[in-house]
Amino acid sequence: MLKAAVVVLAILGGLAYYVWDYNTSPTGGKAKAEASASAAAEEAKTHDPEVGDCVKVADPNGEPLPTVVDCGSPEAEYKTGELLPGTELECGSKYDYGIQYHNSRGIDYTLCFTKV
């Protein structure tokens, strides 16, 4: 009976240590998952320009992907000028480039850019 109690306590102690370590270790477990989610959120922000942001556009003739950059940077190609709801509207003549976004949730829009 005593051996069984020691085995059960050892198993529970090991499990408690694992849970404690998972939740408090700065290099793994919960911290690693939170850091990964935070990095993914930051990465998404860099590809979601707002009006006034400067961007560089990867693959402008294929699948364009705008990346927000500093307006004083030599990488800056365009400045975001306007966001038009829907895809029926086209950028006016004062804009040099436009990207249409189609969302599966029905939130479609067009971003209009001017050259920097």
Side-chain angles (χ1 to χ4, degrees):
M1 185 75 164
L2 181 62
K3 286 183 182 180
V6 170
V7 170
V8 168
L9 283 175
I11 291 173
L12 289 176
L15 181 62
Y17 176 77
Y18 172 79
V19 169
W20 174 80
D21 187 53
Y22 178 84
N23 288 313
T24 60
S25 173
T27 59
K30 188 175 182 180
K32 188 180 248 182
E34 288 173 355
S36 177
S38 177
E42 284 299 316
E43 176 67 19
K45 283 183 193 175
T46 64
H47 298 298
D48 189 21
E50 296 180 7
V51 173
D53 286 343
C54 291
V55 299
K56 67 177 180 178
V57 179
D59 195 17
N61 297 321
E63 293 288 327
L65 180 64
T67 302
V68 177
V69 295
D70 185 78
C71 288
S73 164
E75 292 182 303
E77 299 173 324
Y78 298 99
K79 187 169 188 169
T80 310
E82 193 171 359
L83 186 145
L84 305 173
T87 54
E88 312 80 41
L89 301 172
E90 292 188 12
C91 297
S93 60
K94 67 180 183 177
Y95 297 107
D96 300 307
Y97 185 66
I99 300 175
Q100 291 185 342
Y101 288 94
H102 303 283
N103 190 315
S104 61
R105 296 183 204 146
I107 303 170
D108 299 335
Y109 59 95
T110 302
L111 281 174
C112 301
F113 301 94
T114 56
K115 281 216 182 268
V116 175

